[in-house]
Amino acid sequence: QNIDTAEVPAIVAGDLNAESLQEVTAVAGAVCGLRDLDVHPLLFASNEVPSPVTSQTMRRKSRIDYVVFSDNGLLEPIDDDRAPPPLEEEACIPDATHPSDHLPVIGSFKFADRMRRALFCARRVVRDILGATVP
């Protein structure tokens, strides 16, 4: 059976060196367009796990590290208290406590409950049969 990978839950995490998710999706979409590659729906229907500033140096204080996931209803983020607390306002990293110039980002997920998965499958069937989208 062929599986449409565009419909499976996707998670992308790490140092994206961008100060907004919109910047990441714009660059990725442009690269896919220039190389004539299919664009994964994650670029247009994604959500992100909230996190504080992840890079704080003398020159910048910004969030450039992300955990991004498919917004197709199959993944649900779970509260996770393992992320480090935000840095003090005047702190600069790396330092003795933080050996990197990036703080870690953490995301925990669970698969959607049975009802949400059934709804996702029903919408897919309607789309495949009728060629239409349903709300």
Side-chain angles (χ1 to χ4, degrees), residues 10-71:
I11 300 170
V12 175
D15 176 2
L16 302 181
N17 276 325
E19 293 190 14
S20 76
L21 190 55
Q22 292 76 22
E23 185 181 340
V24 172
T25 58
V27 170
V31 168
C32 289
L34 289 172
R35 302 209 50 212
D36 197 27
L37 300 171
D38 290 336
V39 177
H40 193 281
L42 181 67
L43 288 178
F44 306 109
S46 61
N47 209 333
E48 58 186 291
V49 174
S51 66
V53 166
T54 60
S55 184
Q56 189 165 312
T57 66
M58 293 185 77
R59 292 188 348 200
R60 76 171 173 212
K61 180 179 179 180
S62 55
R63 179 177 177 225
I64 59 173
D65 304 273
Y66 299 86
V67 177
V68 180
F69 61 98
S70 304
D71 195 15

Side-chain angles (χ1 to χ4, degrees), residues 108-119:
S108 294
F109 300 89
K110 68 177 183 176
F111 285 105
D113 62 32
R114 178 177 239 141
M115 181 61 105
R116 287 191 63 167
R117 291 192 316 264
L119 180 60

Side-chain angles (χ1 to χ4, degrees), residues 7 22 64 74 99 102 105:
E7 293 187 4
Q22 292 76 22
I64 59 173
L74 294 177
H102 296 265
V105 289

Side-chain angles (χ1 to χ4, degrees), residues 116-129:
R116 287 191 63 167
R117 291 192 316 264
L119 180 60
F120 175 83
C121 291
R123 287 183 174 139
R124 182 176 173 202
V125 167
V126 168
R127 184 203 67 205
D128 290 348
I129 292 173

